């Protein structure tokens, strides 16, 4: 077979790559840069990514492609979730979930470019990611075969290491790490190891992007996030570079640590730890701006639609027509989502301390308790009379009924 493999360079996908090659298949390894290596190795990120590509070639891949998908991920995936204030079960901002449909799209694009007939990934049969990737591939290219070798033959860590040693697959230091980690500019997820017992507090070594809030600077940091039709920036900087910086600043203040029991698509509950300093801060700021510029009715409906949007992404339905329709709703809303939000990042919290917008519906002269008040106070009397009419009528009826039943029983 001719297979495009989603390749991270880690132990599992390296073993898979070698197994395919040993079995006589042609493999193109596809590696994405979604900003994770910037967060970890700063200036050394390109060298780290080149090393992953070289590793695939050394293992015998026909070719290895490294795709810088940072801007595409941020603009076409992460910011769509931002528009919906998406946090699964009120908590997780969907960092891993958002990258899967992009991985699916790119697997298809690379398979088409090479004329290959199959794509493969290293997801297990217990997770959400297999669903998201395979549904995504089917949506774009139903004729492609999708292979999930770790679903058919689960690979234990000791077996993977033994295989790697036997077949000269280099084992990087990350293979010894006690967690399963997935990261991109929208956040970092940490699973497994001691975290599997939900009573265990996450050890400090689970975190890589955030300081412990207790050790964060007491003074905190104040930032101003600007939105232009829903697209955020800070000091004029946008896109991946902006998100990288926001992650750094918020992470240095201990913002974005999350710890939850999560309900997976495949039915089981799992214990998930995340650190999402940038996305959490942005979503809070986005909500603050919405409250300033949207009508009460828009906010009410949007909260419900946002919830559906979030579930749809989590559940691997990115390619559904419903998402398209909800995107259209969010795009209409975004026409007025221009303005600034000031946020104080302090000891694990992102606190909105101010908002302003040319589209603000807030009116100080209506809201004020001072002398400049223009609100028509006497109009409230008639409003209450009519607004309360059905409730007053209902209460009167209930009182009559109670009266009748005491007459009957006495
Ligand atoms: N539970 C999260 C999700 O389903 C994170 C998954 C992370 N994936 C991983 N292979 N570690 O979106």
């Amino acid at each position: 077979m001719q297979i495009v493999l989603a390749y991270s360079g880690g132990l599992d996908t390296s073993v898979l790559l070698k197994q395919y090659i040993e079995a006589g298949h042609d493999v193109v390894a596809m590696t994405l840069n979604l900003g994770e290596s910037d967060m970890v190795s700063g200036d050394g990120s390109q060298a780290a990514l080149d090393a992953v590509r070289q590793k695939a070639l050394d293992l015998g891949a026909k070719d290895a492609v490294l795709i810088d998908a940072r801007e595409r991920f941020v603009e076409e995936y992460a910011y769509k979730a931002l528009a919906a204030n998406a946090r699964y079960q009120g908590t997780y901002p969907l960092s891993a979930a958002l990258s899967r449909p992009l991985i699916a799209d790119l697997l298809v694009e690379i398979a088409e470019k090479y004329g290959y007939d199959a794509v493969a990934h290293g997801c297990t049969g217990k997770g959400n990611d297999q669903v998201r990737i395979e549904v995504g591939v089917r949506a774009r290219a139903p004729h492609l075969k999708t292979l999930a070798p770790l679903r058919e033959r689960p690979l234990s860590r000791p077996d993977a290491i033994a295989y790697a040693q036997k077949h000269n697959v280099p084992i990087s230091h990350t293979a010894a790490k006690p967690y399963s980690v997935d990261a991109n500019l929208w956040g970092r997820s940490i699973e497994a190891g001691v975290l599997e017992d939900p009573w265990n507090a996450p050890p400090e070594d689970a975190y890589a992007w955030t300081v412990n809030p207790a050790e964060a600077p007491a003074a905190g940091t104040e930032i101003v996030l600007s939105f232009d039709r829903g697209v955020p920036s800070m000091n004029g900087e946008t896109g991946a570079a902006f998100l990288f910086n926001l992650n750094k600043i918020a992470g240095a203040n201990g913002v974005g640590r999350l710890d939850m029991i999560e309900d997976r698509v495949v039915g089981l509950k799992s214990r998930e730890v995340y650190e999402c300093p940038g996305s959490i801060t942005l979503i809070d700021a986005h909500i603050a701006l919405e409250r300033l510029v949207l009508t009460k009715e828009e906010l009410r409906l949007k909260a419900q639609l946002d919830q559906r949007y979030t579930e749809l992404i989590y559940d691997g339905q990115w390619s559904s027509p419903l998402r398209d329709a909800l995107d259209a709703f969010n795009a209409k809303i975004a026409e007025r989502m221009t303005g600034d939000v000031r946020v104080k990042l302090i000891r694990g919290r992102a606190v909105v301390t101010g908002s302003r917008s040319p589209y603000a519906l807030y009116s100080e002269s209506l809201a004020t308790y001072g002398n400049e008040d223009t609100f028509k106070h006497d109009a409230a009397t008639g409003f209450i009379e009519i607004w309360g009419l059905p409730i007053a009528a209902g209460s009167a009826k209930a009182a009559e009924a109670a009266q009748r039943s005491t007459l009957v029983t006495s």
Side-chain angles (χ1 to χ4, degrees):
M1 261 189 301
Q2 297 189 300
I3 305 162
V4 182
L5 170 69
Y7 182 66
S8 70
L11 179 63
D12 286 352
T13 51
S14 295
V15 166
L16 289 183
L17 175 58
K18 192 72 189 174
Q19 286 175 342
Y20 278 140
I21 289 160
E22 293 282 308
H25 300 300
D26 290 345
V27 184
V28 169
M30 182 191 89
T31 304
L32 302 193
N33 176 5
L34 295 174
E36 173 185 9
S37 53
D38 300 333
M39 290 299 299
V40 178
S41 47
D43 291 346
S45 62
Q46 195 53 46
L49 288 161
D50 290 340
V52 171
R53 183 173 176 272
Q54 192 55 49
K55 185 171 173 181
L57 293 171
D58 292 346
L59 288 171
K62 285 275 170 232
D63 204 353
V65 286
L66 174 62
I67 303 170
D68 183 351
R70 285 175 293 183
E71 300 297 344
R72 182 166 168 186
F73 172 67
V74 170
E75 277 158 38
E76 294 173 30
Y77 297 79
Y79 285 176
K80 292 221 167 100
L82 173 64
N85 304 313
R87 294 184 67 172
Y88 182 63
Q89 296 187 320
T91 309
Y92 162 48
L94 300 172
S95 42
L98 285 163
S99 72
R100 277 22 184 191
L102 172 57
I103 292 172
D105 284 352
L106 288 167
L107 281 170
V108 171
E109 285 170 29
I110 299 298
E112 278 166 1
K113 183 171 160 208
Y114 284 80
Y116 277 22
D117 55 0
V119 297
H121 60 75
C123 306
T124 70
K126 277 169 89 163
N128 302 316
D129 293 331
Q130 51 170 350
V131 180
R132 297 166 180 153
I133 292 178
E134 291 179 40
V135 171
V137 170
R138 280 183 65 190
R140 290 267 316 255
H143 58 278
L144 277 181
K145 276 196 279 294
T146 46
L147 309 172
L150 292 187
R151 189 163 61 210
E152 275 103 61
R153 281 166 283 109
L155 187 67
S156 72
R157 201 110 280 235
D159 287 352
I161 291 171
Y163 181 94
Q165 281 163 346
K166 187 154 167 240
H167 293 85
N168 291 323
V169 177
I171 302 176
S172 61
H173 65 283
T174 50
K177 284 258 171 73
Y179 308 107
S180 163
V181 170
D182 183 89
N184 57 53
L185 285 164
W186 209 238
R188 180 171 178 270
S189 69
I190 310 113
E191 299 174 334
V194 294
L195 302 174
E196 283 174 359
D197 177 349
W199 183 244
N200 286 339
E204 216 35 51
D205 73 353
Y207 299 107
W209 293 7
T210 53
V211 303
N212 188 324
E215 279 146 33
T221 310
E222 191 174 88
I223 57 170
V224 175
L225 294 167
S226 301
F227 291 85
D228 177 10
R229 294 177 157 242
V231 178
S233 65
M234 187 168 61
N235 302 324
E237 192 170 45
T238 57
F242 151 68
L243 256 185
F244 170 81
N245 281 326
L246 185 61
N247 276 319
K248 288 284 179 194
I249 296 170
N253 285 288
V255 171
R257 290 190 174 188
L258 308 167
D259 179 3
M260 70 187 290
I261 300 293
E262 179 176 302
D263 284 284
R264 288 192 184 169
V265 184
V266 291
L268 55 95
K269 286 187 187 288
S270 64
R271 202 279 183 89
E272 304 280 336
V273 174
Y274 300 100
E275 47 187 348
C276 307
S279 54
I280 295 303
T281 304
L282 257 183
I283 291 169
D284 281 354
H286 188 263
I287 291 172
L289 185 60
E290 282 186 347
R291 289 182 183 161
L292 187 67
V293 305
L294 301 186
T295 65
K296 177 165 75 178
E297 293 308 324
E298 284 175 310
L299 288 169
R300 284 182 175 180
L301 180 65
K302 188 165 184 299
Q304 294 174 33
L305 299 181
D306 286 352
Q307 164 110 4
R308 274 305 292 127
Y309 197 95
T310 303
E311 290 162 355
L312 210 125
I313 298 174
Y314 188 87
D315 294 347
Q317 303 283 309
W318 177 266
S319 304
S320 68
L322 177 57
R323 188 184 60 82
D324 266 0
L326 293 175
D327 277 344
F329 175 83
N330 288 338
K332 186 72 196 163
I333 292 282
E335 289 175 5
R336 281 167 290 143
M337 285 294 287
T338 294
D340 302 319
V341 179
R342 191 175 53 235
V343 184
K344 179 90 178 191
L345 304 162
I346 181 160
R347 294 230 156 138
R349 303 217 309 140
V351 186
V352 171
T353 60
S355 58
R356 63 181 176 197
S357 165
Y359 299 98
L361 294 179
Y362 176 86
S363 155
E364 201 167 343
S365 69
L366 284 176
T368 183
Y369 286 98
N371 290 334
E372 301 75 33
D373 189 1
T374 58
F375 188 86
K376 287 191 187 148
H377 287 251
D378 52 351
T381 315
F383 169 73
I384 294 165
E385 180 83 26
I386 291 170
W387 189 244
L389 194 62
I391 292 175
S395 298
K397 277 288 164 200
E400 274 174 35
Q403 186 75 27
R404 270 199 305 277
S405 70
T406 38
L407 287 176
V408 169
T409 49
S410 59

